[in-house]
Every structure is written in C-alpha cells, then in structure tokens.
Amino acid sequence: NAGVTQTPKFQVLKTGQSMTLQCAQDMNHEYMSWYRQDPGMGLRLIHYSVGAGITDQGEVPNGYNVSRSTTEDFPLRLLSAAPSQTSVYFCASSYSAGLGEKLFFGSGTQLSVL
Amino acid sequence: KNQVEQSPQSLIILEGKNCTLQCNYTVSPFSNLRWYKQDTGRGPVSLTIMTFSENTKSNGRYTATLDADTKQSSLHITASQLSDSASYICVVSSGGYQKVTFGIGTKLQVIP
C-alpha cells in the first residue's frame, strides 16, 4: 500500500530558484491538498483540489502554484523560492472534501531556501 | 478567528505510565474533532474522530473525550510504550477542508 507518496524527501534551494514538489496518491481520492508545517505553528493549508481540473487557494497560497490534471497527481510549484518558504511540506488526500474527512498524509518534504 | 490550543507543549513520561493531553478550541460552527499522531519525520496519522454527540471513544490504548459545552477534548494514553513517542495533533473541523484548524501539537517522549 503506497498511499500518498511525496518526492523529494529533502531539498535545498537558493533564493530565486524554482522547483516542483511531487505528490501522488493511489487510493482514488477525490480531495488533495498541500500544507506547510513550521515550528510553533499548526499545519497551514496552501492549496487544495476537490477533483481533476479543480484547484483553489488555502490560507497561505502566495508564492505557490498547483495544478491537477489527473486524480492521482497534485504537484506544488515554487515559482521563485524565498527564505520564508523554508518549511516542511505535506501533501494529503481524502476520499472526499466532506465534513472533517480523514486526511492521509505523505511523509513530507523538508525544504531549505538559502 | 478559529483557534485550537493544546497543552502541554511537551511531555516526558516513563514507559508504562499513563498520560493525558489536552485540546481547547474556539471553532464555530463545530463539525468534528480528530486526534492525529505524527512520528518524527513522518506525516500525521489519524487516531480517532469525535463528533458533537460523542463523549468518549477508545482506540486500543488511546481514549479520546469530548466536552462540546466547554469546547475541550483530551487524549488519554494508557500503559505508554516507547513507540508512543510522537507529536499528537488536535484538529477541529467546522466544515469542508478549507475550514480545518490544526493545533500546534503536544510532543510526547516516552523513556525507558
């Protein structure tokens, strides 16, 4: 059971560089989302998708882009990395976007922007 | 503003002992509350869900309680094991996913 797979596990970028964090799920889940986790703060929603071709902004979307061309994949793009984007990023999915549905998380990507 | 506060921030207990983690929330309207366990270097994993009408729910050695009147929840761990060392995150939902509020978590360390 792969569940939610995130790559890479670790990444170091220089300010201004761009990159894509990959996320794939094999559970045929409708809902997918990206969160960032910073010390002393709860997980914060960046972007989410309720199905292929449908995406929307979360609480902290600035500096990030997403797309969802298939049910399985939901990549997160950093357009021009900034030190403030140093964080641990989690991709999560759930069967639907219903009330308080259980989230299945990937193992995270630790990103450092120098 | 919706808020979820957890206490204590960190806790160290001896293997075999019990402990209780607290979660206070100011989320409205309330849909449900989940407790997640997050091992170091891993993503959170759901332990249990509490809805408005539920007071107590057990999942093995984990027992969650909910008092919707005082907006408090607790997670009690019985006969702790070394594998219980993790962060425990309280998450309150007030609707769809864009309205989920995460607590900062309680970091539990179980020592031999």
Side-chain angles (χ1 to χ4, degrees):
Chain A
N1 283 342
V4 178
T5 303
Q6 285 184 241
T7 57
K9 182 71 174 176
F10 301 95
Q11 183 69 51
V12 179
L13 292 177
K14 294 181 180 179
T15 297
Q17 287 185 316
S18 62
M19 79 159 296
T20 299
L21 306 184
Q22 301 292 342
C23 176
Q25 53 92 8
D26 63 357
M27 297 173 283
N28 200 32
H29 281 174
E30 179 180 273
Y31 179 90
M32 297 186 74
S33 53
W34 278 100
Y35 295 87
R36 59 179 290 173
Q37 187 174 40
D38 299 296
M41 303 186 73
L43 285 153
R44 292 182 293 168
L45 181 64
I46 303 171
H47 285 286
Y48 65 96
S49 169
V50 298
I54 306 170
T55 63
D56 206 347
Q57 297 181 352
E59 180 185 357
V60 287
N62 292 342
Y64 309 95
N65 272 358
V66 293
S67 61
R68 185 134 178 236
S69 56
T70 67
T71 300
E72 294 79 19
D73 300 302
F74 191 45
L76 178 72
R77 297 180 185 83
L78 279 71
L79 307 174
S80 178
S84 61
Q85 293 178 306
T86 294
S87 186
V88 181
Y89 291 85
F90 288 98
C91 179
S93 71
S94 68
Y95 178 72
S96 76
L99 296 175
E101 280 274 347
K102 179 166 66 175
L103 286 164
F104 293 82
F105 286 86
S107 58
T109 295
Q110 187 169 325
L111 175 67
S112 294
V113 182
L114 307 178
Chain B
K1 180 180 177 182
N2 291 338
Q3 286 188 318
V4 175
E5 295 183 351
Q6 294 187 243
S7 62
Q9 289 188 3
S10 62
L11 183 63
I12 301 175
I13 63 172
L14 291 173
E15 185 179 10
K17 298 296 185 180
N18 303 336
C19 67
T20 300
L21 314 180
Q22 299 290 341
C23 173
N24 296 339
Y25 61 92
T26 55
V27 174
S28 183
F30 174 85
S31 289
N32 58 54
L33 181 150
R34 284 188 185 272
W35 284 93
Y36 284 82
K37 178 187 179 187
Q38 183 176 20
D39 293 318
T40 301
R42 308 289 293 178
V45 175
S46 178
L47 290 174
T48 187
I49 179 172
M50 303 295 291
T51 59
F52 186 86
S53 59
E54 295 175 310
N55 298 119
T56 304
K57 183 180 287 186
S58 293
N59 177 7
R61 294 179 298 101
Y62 300 103
T63 299
T65 66
L66 176 67
D67 186 333
D69 292 332
T70 61
K71 298 187 177 181
Q72 296 180 327
S73 177
S74 66
L75 182 68
H76 185 76
I77 304 175
T78 304
S80 60
Q81 301 176 357
L82 298 178
S83 59
D84 292 331
S85 295
S87 287
Y88 292 84
I89 302 172
C90 177
V91 183
V92 182
S93 172
S94 62
Y97 269 108
Q98 60 271 37
K99 295 181 181 177
V100 170
T101 305
F102 288 81
I104 296 173
T106 292
K107 187 170 184 178
L108 173 66
Q109 186 178 355
V110 181
I111 59 176

